[in-house]
Amino acid sequence: VLASFRGMGQHGLPLEIGDTVQILEKCEGESPDRDGIFPSSYVHLKNAHIKNKGQFETVVPTEDSVITEMTATLRDWGAMWKQLYVKNEGDLFHRLWHVMNEVLDLRRQVLVGHLTQDRMRDVKQHITARLDWGNEQLGLDLVPRKDFSMVDPDEISVTELYKLMEHRHRKKEMPVQPNTHHLFVQVKSLVSSNVGEELEVFFSIYDGRESRPLSERFFVRLNKQGVPKVSEKPERQCTLFVDLGSSDLRKDVYIVVHIIRIGRMGAGEKKNVCNVQYRRPFGCAVISVADLLTADSRDDHLLKVYTCNAENEWFQIHDNIIRKVSSRYNLLGSSAGLAVSLQLLHGDMELIRREYMTLFTRDISISKKLGFSDVIMPGEMRNDLYITLEKGEFEKGGKSVARNVEVTVYVLDVDGHVIKGSVWAGSGEPGTDPFHSFVLYHNNSPRWAEQIKLPLPVDMFRGSHVRFEFRHCSTKEKGEKKLFGFSFIPLMQEDGRTLPDGTHELIVHKCEENASLHDCSRYLKLPFLKASLLANSQTAKSTKESFWITSFLCSTKLTQNGDMLDLLKWRVHPERAGDSLSKLKEIDGSEIVKFLQDTLDTLFGILDENSQRYGLKVFDCLVHIINLLQDSKFQHFKPVMDTYIESHFAGALSYRDLIKVLKWYIDRIVDAEHQQHIQEVLKASEYIFKYIIQSRRLFALATGGQNEEEFRCCVRELFMSLRFFLSQESKGTSPIAQTQAVFLKSFPTVYSELLKIFTVREVASFVRDTLGSLAVGMQADCPLEAIKLQCIAKTVESQLYTNPESRSILLPVVLHHLQTHLQEQRDLVMCARVLTSILSLLNKDDMDQSASEEVSVIVRSLLTVLLRTILEVTNRPQPAGTSMRLQFQDVTGEFVACLLAMLRQMTDKHYQQLLEAFPTKDDLKDFLLQIFTVFRILIRPEMFPKDWTVMRLVTNNVIITTVLYLSDALRKNFLSDNFDYKVWDSYFYLSVIFINQPCLQLETFAPSKRKKVLEKYGDMRVMMGCEIFSMWQNLGQHKLNFIPAMIGPFLEVTLVPQPDLRNVMIPIFHDMMDWEQRRSGNFKQVEAKLIDKLDGLMSEGKGDETYRELFNSMDCMKVGEVDGKKIGCTVSLLNFYKTELNKEEMYIRYIHKLYDLHLKAQNYTVTRCCRKEYLHLTIIQNFDRGKCWENGIILCRELADQYEAYYDYRNLSKMRMTEASLYDKIMEQQRLEPEFFRVGFYGKKFPFFLRNKEFVCRGHDYERLEAFQQRMLNEFPHAIAMQHVNLPDETISQAEAQYLQIYAVSPVPEAQDVLQRDGVPDSIKSFYKVNHIWRFRYDRPFHKGTKDKENEFKSLWVERTTLTLVQSLPGISRWFEVEKREVMEVSPLENAIEVLENKNLQLRSLIAQCQARQMHNINPLTMCLNGVIDAAVNGGLARYQEAFFAKEYVASHPEDCDKIGRLRELMFEQAHILEFGLAVHEKFVPQDMRPLHKKLVDQFHLMKSSLGIQFEELLCPAYMPFANGSPRTCRNSVPNLISPDGVRVVARRSPLSYPAINRYSSSSLSSQASNEVSNITGQSESSDEVFNMQPSPSTSSLSSNHSASPNVTSSAPSSARGSPLLSDKHKHSRENACLSPRDRPCSAMYPNPLDPAQQVLPRPVGETALPRSDPNLSAPEKGTGAPRPLQNRALICLFPPSTGNCSSVPPFTPSPTECQSGGLVSNSPVLSGSYSSGISSLSRCSVSDASGLEAPPPGDPTALTSSVSSGSDELLRRENKTPPPYSVYERTNPRRLVPLPHSLSIPPGTDPPALPPKPSQLRAGRLDSEPRRGEQAPRPRPLPRKVSQL
């Protein structure tokens, strides 16, 4: 498809660019009756052929398969490449992008088709390498290829497929290490050199171990600036040292650099002294080759250059540097050095030329190795003679000082002419003539060690010689060079041998400059070697001067061996032929291969002329040459010999002698004492037979086939001798056995030669008889057994075995040996190789009768033993070594491939024959069990590498085909009376594993891969599932044997997300239930097993989304989801298993899971609550980590009781100390109060266990509403955040979406004694305020009726919603569902009362903290006082007075008279608190804040005046008919010590908005105020000053409340999705201002006080109660329990007793201390009783619970005890000497009782446990305390509470 087509027409087919379309019909032209499905111009037609015609046919284009693969692979990469960017894998993203572009470019080159064959091969190889790299990086499958093309697994055997896969895998895992290496060198410059002269730089490879050069020298000239002289030719600066072997890459192999300067004799001489320039030593540098091994690219190096201290040491300066003899050299300069670029290249030269084409296009110089490389290649041409000028010994020659000797080298031909350019100082520079050595200053024994190369042609060696002239170089002004002698040496000797390698001492012939050396004939007759002179010769005595050179010849055409020349020229001296043949074995192999063809011609020439005399020697020489070519160094000359045999060999009569001698040797094997030479003969049998066969062919060609029968008879006799020799039994270490092994190794190579003359059947018969003659029954450890198997392996791999005729002859003997080895588990690797070769030749598509018979024979012989072998190999432990482990994996994979290939070749006939061949059903049973077990092994993921998907699919296809055949045998033989459970169970188990294996889960594949698999194999899971169903139906009554055992496995099958498979498998469960019902009358067993297995599977995260919808309670257990959901779901499961199923074991399992989840989430406190059986010490530790110390104390006491009971005082002491530490932490460490959030899940897209339900969640530490909401939105990314708090309607709850409604709620703590007791620090109370909470609340303000614009408080109502949970928080989860929702409305008047109560509570708390010096900063109290006294927002108290104290309101709301009085009471109470607060503030206020304090005092006077006026106006009983006096009771005073830890300061909260939980007594505070103020100020203030001031219109006590943050309109943060509009956000800003910070809706910050329903009912004025513990009372007064009124005395005395509403109980007389106390209210007779009654309680500063207690009706006898519960508790505690109990609250709601964990539970009806007595006390002390506890009045049932919104 060339362009995308939308296909909008009636029958239009949408197309995307790049799609492939198979066109069945084409419409030409336009026809109104027929419309096409897409335009033909949108596609490009390509030739293709169809494979597998039918439903799953595949259209394959006829283009190159590499193009097809590239196209498909690039499409797959495209999608995955984009995902790399998304996953932020930038490196792979960019690399893959470059590779994709590279592959696209190569694809264009292939499509163009203009490439040569070699270039096309290179491009395809490059493409496949890139494709394999990309597939490996992306985790795609390994592609099997053959000749760069993908192979179809159906078109080749499984064994061949395995070989291809393994070859590619091995190539990927272990790349082949090259054996040949090359060194690239590039000279750049000599850095920081101030030489000022030209330089010559020589590089060479040097072996430091043997102190010899390994390569010739590379020569570069540098100019005076130190840079290459010929800079315009960069190839002159580079070289490649070639043919370095792996042994040359050692640490002691170096790159040595010698630098020679061209200039004056002395470096410091003046320029005018001498104009002649000499070559003089300068410096040397060394670097190890091993330093270059780690570099992957070309590296630049700066080589340090060293100079020689003495010139006579120059010849070994590099050795001194290597050995670090620093006394003999110096560094040229710290910054000086030779800059070079070095790189090691690996591989043969052809590969290097292809990969580094730019180097060779510039004609880079090649520096050769001295000598041949490790492998000598035929056709290699080389003829180099290397001469090293070593040293000289010269006389002074009449000079007073030593000479400056320079050597000049000439090469002269046979005519005496100088050969131009014949002397090379090194590669890189052309040759010169002559060559001048460097000069050593004043040295008569100079040592140069300078190497030169003479690359002369072969034909110029004869007659040529080298002449060395010696001159003294003068340092005078003339600078003349004076000749004083010469030496010479011929290059070739008279017998044709070249100059032998080694050191030669030459004679120095004296001469003068004018001597004529042009006539060579004059001196060539002279001796030239000192060794050639006789010892008594006068010439030797007179010649004292000598010159030494070392020569080395590296030639493929010249020889230095005289024996080789004698053999080649045997016709000159025929009588010496025998000696020459004998000496051939002593000649070096490189000399023989140089003249291989000439040598062979010589040997066969001698054999033809005199076979009787030299036949045996010629045969031995031929064997020696043949075995020489077996050496790895010369193995590449085998093709040379093959070419010689085919094209140049002419010995037509040689076969007779060769057969004769070979048979002679074989016949003497048994009797020979020494077998070594015979073994050499048999090792060369391959080429001996080649010569025999070729000789016979030449003879037959020349004679027309004469003597054919004679030849055949000779060959048969030869094989008879071989069979006799092989049949000899011997031990494995005997010489004969070793000789047999040698022959068996080379015997398979003879087959192809015999086929050139004999027929296939004849050769097969030879081989069969020969292999059959091998001795049977050898020992298992005999080495010959392995060699025998190797011979068989080579036989089945040979050309002979590929012919069907020969296979029928050879197969029985091969299978016989193979079966023997497999049964004994010997040589398994070779057995696998043999079996692989046998099965590779079988093709099911070309199955004829003979091939079918072969399969039958193979199956009958090897199938059972092969199954057993696989079982034993796979169960055997893997070896430890890497090589052995790889070999172990190889043999396993090869055997598996063989088994698969064998099974794939089997047809119905073969299976029928196989099953009928078992004699008994037990044998058949064993076979089935074996093959089912092997199949289960083959399905294992570790059987093949991860990316071998092709091999896995082939394996599964073979397995399912075989299972379909074997299932018939299962039905026929193992049903009814012959039922066998083991076989059927193995079958079902295999089927389940087959379906569940990962490689068949097509849903996880890419679309293209899934399509290919379905087209080729279909969905094999469905096929196997249908087979399971069919087999299950055949079981009949035997199904009961598999119930409930097979429920779990079959249930795993249903987890596969394949609808057809599920439709097949699910009816089996119904059938199971039916059969279970028949057997036991119910199917509880099936049900229980189903639930257990489902639970386990869901816990493992198995099953798709559709499947998990069926079991929604497990939906969130999948891996990767948040822990909160996991915990919640686990709790649901616990309840389900405990209540619904009563599955104790499942319950215990999930207890452990829940424990682990809580530990992971760091919910240490919750951890204890969900694991009852855990050790107490661990529980205490978890409580300690979770800062739940109160619960830990209880467990400490339990342990302490146990320790005390058993007198374990040591542990008792430790436990008491632990308990004490927990008490310390309660008082000293700060604990954060968590926030609580209500979450509603609405919409059908939520799981069932969440859908349309609401929960309350306990937030994490420091987690506020915005963070919590964002966390929930991240957890449910598709959810929509609702921006209101109203309950959603049906459109939301039934919508196909997800809606989250989140807002904060306030906890409503249950009534607990600790919260009602006086003097309990806030650090203690804070725990009970946020723990064990069942109910939560939130408020929403609204206007009812017409809104009063002048005073909106008149119509502002509050809707209060209370949420009751199924369990208390915290519990075993952070989440619990809301069980009950209650909604009530709070009137404006009640709201005003709550606002004032909260503000009064806040003032009391701040004053108490300041008074107890708990506040480090007085600013919070200052701000709170200022906000109340100087209120400027919303009118303050004045608005309340206008709204609720007006005559109209009182007349229209007569039922609110009590509440109006309560509001009035709170106003006056606030005045007293403010007065006391100002007194405390005056004491602690800093000096700089005194003006502010004075202003507050003045404003307070105006406020009191305003309150006094209003009080007088409303004092009339007509407007305040309080029948029962004050509506309040049991209000305690402010605590004396309140920890600042209990104060919660959070975001969006006013600094004054502190939590208001408890209600306080105004009377008690006012009396305290009077005492404290009098003590502080030292003066009193009359009541007239309090109430008779003038009103001020600006006075307000609610300004701080009204100025609180207006965060009450919405619970959703602004960052949440769908942020509300500005108008909605501030819609109720004024309405909310009237609410306390804890009462404002949609706020996550503020806990709330109690609602009116929870407040205490009014108590009659006359009711009395026992007094509290008062330090100002005397002991008799405390003990008598004189009644004291608990009501507000200030209000009680306002009404005359004649109203009849007061009690007849006489009034309480205040104590003397109370009467004497001075202050504000003590002078007021009206309020004196009120103040005196609160003094004692203020001394303890107790705090009541937020809810208060419900008062009993009048006359109730329990009123007395209930009203003084706190006081009596204190008396009891003092008597028992026990601290206040800190028990865990138990819910008293009779509606539902949820027991606490065992260690936390408290017996009902008892108080929390007190501290245990000392060990010395009797246990009776506890018993005595029980009656007193029983005398206490029962605690009143708390009224329903309102829950505020945070």
Side-chain angles (χ1 to χ4, degrees), residues 89-100:
E89 298 184 19
D91 182 42
L92 183 56
F93 174 82
H94 291 293
R95 284 191 295 163
L96 188 62
W97 168 248
H98 290 302
V99 171
M100 291 170 68

Short mmCIF file of all heavy atoms in Angstrom, two decimals, residues 89-100:
data_model
loop_
_atom_site.label_atom_id
_atom_site.label_comp_id
_atom_site.label_asym_id
_atom_site.label_seq_id
_atom_site.Cartn_x
_atom_site.Cartn_y
_atom_site.Cartn_z
N GLU A 89 14.76 5.71 27.76
CA GLU A 89 15.98 4.97 27.45
C GLU A 89 16.64 5.65 26.25
O GLU A 89 16.60 5.16 25.13
CB GLU A 89 15.67 3.51 27.18
CG GLU A 89 15.05 2.78 28.36
CD GLU A 89 14.83 1.31 28.09
OE1 GLU A 89 15.48 0.80 27.14
OE2 GLU A 89 14.02 0.69 28.79
N GLY A 90 17.22 6.80 26.53
CA GLY A 90 17.73 7.64 25.45
C GLY A 90 18.87 7.04 24.68
O GLY A 90 18.95 7.18 23.45
N ASP A 91 19.78 6.35 25.37
CA ASP A 91 20.94 5.81 24.69
C ASP A 91 20.52 4.77 23.64
O ASP A 91 20.92 4.85 22.46
CB ASP A 91 21.88 5.18 25.72
CG ASP A 91 23.14 4.64 25.08
OD1 ASP A 91 23.69 5.32 24.20
OD2 ASP A 91 23.59 3.54 25.47
N LEU A 92 19.72 3.81 24.05
CA LEU A 92 19.26 2.79 23.10
C LEU A 92 18.37 3.41 22.03
O LEU A 92 18.37 2.96 20.87
CB LEU A 92 18.52 1.69 23.86
CG LEU A 92 18.02 0.51 23.02
CD1 LEU A 92 19.16 -0.14 22.27
CD2 LEU A 92 17.31 -0.50 23.90
N PHE A 93 17.62 4.41 22.41
CA PHE A 93 16.74 5.09 21.44
C PHE A 93 17.56 5.65 20.27
O PHE A 93 17.23 5.45 19.10
CB PHE A 93 15.98 6.20 22.16
CG PHE A 93 15.15 7.08 21.25
CD1 PHE A 93 13.90 6.68 20.83
CD2 PHE A 93 15.64 8.31 20.82
CE1 PHE A 93 13.14 7.47 20.00
CE2 PHE A 93 14.89 9.11 19.99
CZ PHE A 93 13.64 8.69 19.58
N HIS A 94 18.63 6.34 20.59
CA HIS A 94 19.44 6.95 19.53
C HIS A 94 20.24 5.90 18.76
O HIS A 94 20.38 6.00 17.54
CB HIS A 94 20.37 7.99 20.13
CG HIS A 94 19.67 9.21 20.66
ND1 HIS A 94 19.03 10.10 19.84
CD2 HIS A 94 19.47 9.64 21.93
CE1 HIS A 94 18.48 11.06 20.57
NE2 HIS A 94 18.74 10.80 21.85
N ARG A 95 20.76 4.91 19.44
CA ARG A 95 21.52 3.87 18.73
C ARG A 95 20.62 3.10 17.78
O ARG A 95 21.01 2.81 16.64
CB ARG A 95 22.15 2.93 19.75
CG ARG A 95 23.38 3.49 20.45
CD ARG A 95 24.12 2.43 21.22
NE ARG A 95 23.31 1.92 22.32
CZ ARG A 95 23.56 0.79 22.96
NH1 ARG A 95 24.57 0.04 22.59
NH2 ARG A 95 22.80 0.39 23.95
N LEU A 96 19.42 2.79 18.24
CA LEU A 96 18.50 2.05 17.37
C LEU A 96 18.08 2.91 16.19
O LEU A 96 17.88 2.40 15.07
CB LEU A 96 17.27 1.61 18.18
CG LEU A 96 16.31 0.67 17.46
CD1 LEU A 96 16.99 -0.63 17.11
CD2 LEU A 96 15.07 0.40 18.33
N TRP A 97 17.96 4.19 16.40
CA TRP A 97 17.60 5.09 15.31
C TRP A 97 18.67 5.07 14.22
O TRP A 97 18.36 4.99 13.02
CB TRP A 97 17.42 6.49 15.86
CG TRP A 97 17.32 7.58 14.83
CD1 TRP A 97 18.22 8.57 14.58
CD2 TRP A 97 16.26 7.78 13.88
NE1 TRP A 97 17.79 9.37 13.56
CE2 TRP A 97 16.59 8.90 13.11
CE3 TRP A 97 15.07 7.11 13.62
CZ2 TRP A 97 15.76 9.37 12.09
CZ3 TRP A 97 14.24 7.58 12.62
CH2 TRP A 97 14.59 8.70 11.87
N HIS A 98 19.92 5.10 14.63
CA HIS A 98 21.00 5.06 13.64
C HIS A 98 21.04 3.71 12.93
O HIS A 98 21.26 3.65 11.71
CB HIS A 98 22.35 5.33 14.33
CG HIS A 98 22.51 6.73 14.81
ND1 HIS A 98 22.43 7.83 13.98
CD2 HIS A 98 22.72 7.24 16.05
CE1 HIS A 98 22.61 8.94 14.67
NE2 HIS A 98 22.79 8.61 15.93
N VAL A 99 20.82 2.64 13.64
CA VAL A 99 20.83 1.32 13.01
C VAL A 99 19.67 1.18 12.03
O VAL A 99 19.84 0.63 10.93
CB VAL A 99 20.76 0.22 14.10
CG1 VAL A 99 20.56 -1.15 13.46
CG2 VAL A 99 22.05 0.21 14.92
N MET A 100 18.51 1.70 12.39
CA MET A 100 17.36 1.64 11.47
C MET A 100 17.65 2.41 10.18
O MET A 100 17.34 1.93 9.08
CB MET A 100 16.12 2.20 12.16
CG MET A 100 15.59 1.31 13.30
SD MET A 100 14.32 2.11 14.29
CE MET A 100 12.98 2.20 13.11
#
